[in-house]
Amino acid sequence: MTAEATKTEVGSYFISNYPPFSQWSTDQVGEVRAALEAPPADVPLGLYLHIPFCRKRCKFCYFKVFTDKHADQIERYVSALSREIELVSKVPAMGDRPFRFVYFGGGTPSFLSEKQLRRLVDRLQANIRWDKAEEVTFECEPGTLSEPKVHALRELGVTRLSLGVEHFDDAILRENGRAHESHEIYRAWPWIKAAGFPNVNIDLISGMVGDSDETWRETVSKALELEPDSVTIYQMELPFNTVYSKDILGNQIETPVADWPTKRGWVDYAFDQFMAAGYSVSSAYTLVKHPERVNFSYRDNLWRGSDLLATGIASFGHISGVHYQNLAEWEQYCGSLEEGKLPLNRALRISPRQALIRELILQLKKGYLDGAYFQQKYGVDIFDEWRDAWNEYVGDGYAVLSENRVDLTRAGLLRVDGLLPAFFEPQFRDVRYT
């Protein structure tokens, strides 16, 4: 994928880490074990918990999810996750660090019933606390919410509720395999507002199958009417293991997703509409209503090299310079924890230069870079080190260079993931990302 590509092909476009996940290996699991047993790094600590259950699998989904688990299997998973928390809470790498941020992701964390949620949190808090966390995020699918469940989430300490709206057109939601329809968004919204979360985010996706100029404008209008604290807008992509991707590769059908210029145009329109309503751009994907009140601890700490303890099946983490992923198969994950062993699957210890590149490409997603930060932390002048890339992007109208700083233009921000491989080490520029 390059900045100039137009057709939406099968493959990963969105970049969330470096080096690419495809470079992580089972051979390096010993590295993460050693990191967990070593004293903690002097960086903030976060916690990710993966809840892998969904009512349906979206046709564009590439995460590890299950749609066929019944109550006793869910209980088995919750028990395994609780055991994993117990084990990681005792590793030396934890130190005395409180969790700066906590993230419940999925899957659909809100798939769990109120009773299951309360029981899970009770078990977790026997070993860990998050009452000092700056941010506790919980992802929700509208159709899984009830009024008691929403209020329970607030009582359990959730400070940021992220609602997977994606679109407001029911035909588009159905075509793309979403479990909810628009009436479920409107049913849940008053409960969410009444619960008093400090930050309520809604997710939208530009370029879902069946989308058009008219349906997208209507979705943006309806999203604005809700007045969320923040809105996150992704551009539809086709990673390898989605339903749509398998149809394209297996049956040789044409890609059903809008091309990149169209998707960028739709996000551009949404940015204009939200900014006209008083929102501020927070990243290539996010606009915020009150930037002085809303921060993104999970995002900003991760993008500056914090540690992240990953728990749950197939989850990804980072500890003391080692990236790692948990076991990705149900029986392996649950069985490992039932034997009292952490479910580690693959890892990669990164070099200082790779840590620099990782921070550079992730922080660029905010739309700017401060050269002094990288000079102080890594002793590298990022503008001299990658002079050719910056000059190209300035010439293309994607970036503006000033004194020890770069700012992306709107055109650059809308295609930022396509700009990032230029900063990769040569051996990683043409490899599969995941």
Side-chain angles (χ1 to χ4, degrees):
M1 179 68 199
T2 71
E4 301 306 317
T6 55
K7 185 178 178 181
T8 302
E9 304 279 8
V10 174
S12 296
Y13 171 71
F14 183 81
I15 291 172
S16 59
N17 214 333
Y18 183 84
F21 296 102
S22 62
Q23 305 305 298
W24 305 15
S25 72
T26 56
D27 294 342
Q28 291 205 36
V29 166
E31 294 285 353
V32 69
R33 294 192 192 281
L36 289 168
E37 292 300 322
D42 186 20
V43 297
L45 177 66
L47 175 66
Y48 176 82
L49 305 100
H50 190 64
I51 310 296
F53 309 111
C54 290
R55 292 197 293 164
K56 288 176 65 178
R57 184 179 185 88
C58 305
K59 295 179 183 178
F60 54 83
C61 175
Y62 55 95
F63 296 109
K64 189 70 177 184
V65 301
F66 301 94
T67 60
D68 59 348
K69 300 301 182 187
H70 44 74
D72 60 340
Q73 292 172 307
I74 293 171
E75 172 59 30
R76 184 186 182 197
Y77 181 83
V78 168
S79 295
L81 180 61
S82 302
R83 177 64 170 142
E84 185 177 9
I85 292 288
E86 179 185 356
L87 292 173
V88 298
S89 71
K90 298 173 182 175
V91 299
M94 276 280 295
D96 296 322
R97 293 181 291 175
F99 287 115
R100 180 78 60 88
F101 55 92
V102 178
Y103 198 106
F104 289 83
T108 307
S110 60
F111 179 91
L112 297 180
S113 69
E114 181 194 352
K115 183 178 179 182
Q116 288 169 329
L117 280 170
R118 289 187 182 277
R119 224 170 47 242
L120 171 62
V121 171
D122 284 346
R123 292 187 203 179
L124 299 182
Q125 293 191 339
N127 295 287
I128 60 169
R129 306 291 300 180
W130 54 70
D131 49 320
K132 295 182 180 178
E134 295 174 346
E135 179 183 87
V136 179
T137 298
F138 199 95
E139 293 182 347
C140 297
E141 183 254 286
T144 62
L145 294 177
S146 65
E147 188 170 12
K149 188 186 293 187
V150 169
H151 286 280
L153 291 174
R154 187 69 189 99
E155 291 169 21
L156 294 171
V158 172
T159 64
R160 178 175 179 265
L161 185 144
S162 187
L163 191 67
V165 168
E166 320 311 358
H167 211 285
F168 283 88
D169 186 285
D170 287 338
I172 290 173
L173 290 170
R174 285 192 295 268
E175 164 57 38
N176 288 265
R178 288 295 293 173
H180 76 275
E181 294 192 358
S182 60
H183 70 92
E184 292 171 302
I185 302 168
Y186 292 114
R187 182 186 66 188
W189 195 250
W191 306 333
I192 293 169
K193 298 298 285 185
F197 296 94
N199 179 5
V200 177
N201 175 78
I202 65 172
D203 284 348
L204 300 176
I205 298 177
S206 159
M208 295 176 78
V209 174
D211 212 350
S212 67
D213 289 341
E214 181 181 356
T215 55
W216 179 250
R217 286 194 297 266
E218 185 67 16
T219 275
V220 171
S221 175
K222 289 179 176 179
L224 274 165
E225 289 171 2
L226 296 181
E227 298 184 316
D229 298 297
S230 63
V231 59
T232 302
I233 308 172
Y234 298 104
Q235 297 178 46
M236 183 86 151
E237 60 174 330
L238 293 169
F240 283 96
N241 62 338
T242 70
V243 171
Y244 282 137
S245 299
K246 289 174 183 175
D247 281 346
I248 292 167
L249 295 173
N251 302 318
Q252 301 299 304
I253 65 169
E254 270 300 305
T255 176
V257 177
D259 61 31
W260 289 106
T262 299
K263 289 182 289 190
R264 286 196 292 266
W266 286 340
V267 177
D268 193 35
Y269 170 82
F271 272 40
D272 284 344
Q273 297 303 302
F274 273 91
M275 291 176 72
Y279 285 72
S280 300
V281 175
S282 178
S283 78
Y285 325 102
T286 306
L287 298 109
V288 182
K289 189 175 183 182
H290 297 292
E292 72 282 0
R293 294 208 311 252
V294 173
N295 65 66
F296 297 91
S297 182
Y298 175 83
R299 178 195 74 187
D300 293 344
N301 280 292
L302 275 189
W303 290 2
R304 286 177 171 257
S306 73
D307 280 348
L308 177 67
L309 285 173
T311 61
I313 190 168
S315 59
F316 295 91
H318 178 88
I319 189 80
S320 300
V322 181
H323 294 322
Y324 70 98
Q325 183 188 21
N326 274 348
L327 292 166
E329 300 305 322
W330 178 271
E331 200 57 46
Q332 289 180 318
Y333 172 79
C334 293
S336 177
L337 285 157
E338 286 160 1
E339 294 173 5
K341 297 185 296 188
L342 285 174
L344 304 172
N345 179 36
R346 58 176 179 154
L348 178 70
R349 179 174 288 280
I350 64 174
S351 69
R353 181 170 180 81
Q354 289 165 349
L356 159 65
I357 294 170
R358 179 179 182 271
E359 286 199 45
L360 184 154
I361 63 177
L362 294 179
Q363 290 182 38
L364 190 58
K365 291 166 176 268
K366 293 186 75 171
Y368 67 93
L369 291 175
D370 175 9
Y373 169 85
F374 293 93
Q375 184 72 55
Q376 181 177 358
K377 186 168 183 178
Y378 292 101
V380 174
D381 182 335
I382 59 172
F383 303 113
D384 185 56
E385 187 76 11
W386 286 282
R387 183 176 303 279
D388 289 346
W390 296 124
N391 287 342
E392 178 184 342
Y393 292 156
V394 168
D396 289 340
Y398 300 152
V400 176
L401 285 171
S402 54
E403 184 65 32
N404 213 18
R405 179 182 169 103
V406 64
D407 290 89
L408 295 184
T409 63
R410 175 71 68 83
L413 197 63
L414 293 174
R415 53 170 46 81
V416 64
D417 287 277
L419 304 180
L420 303 182
F423 304 100
F424 287 14
E425 295 161 291
Q427 68 268 33
F428 298 138
R429 286 180 191 159
D430 296 313
V431 301
R432 177 168 161 167
Y433 185 69
T434 54

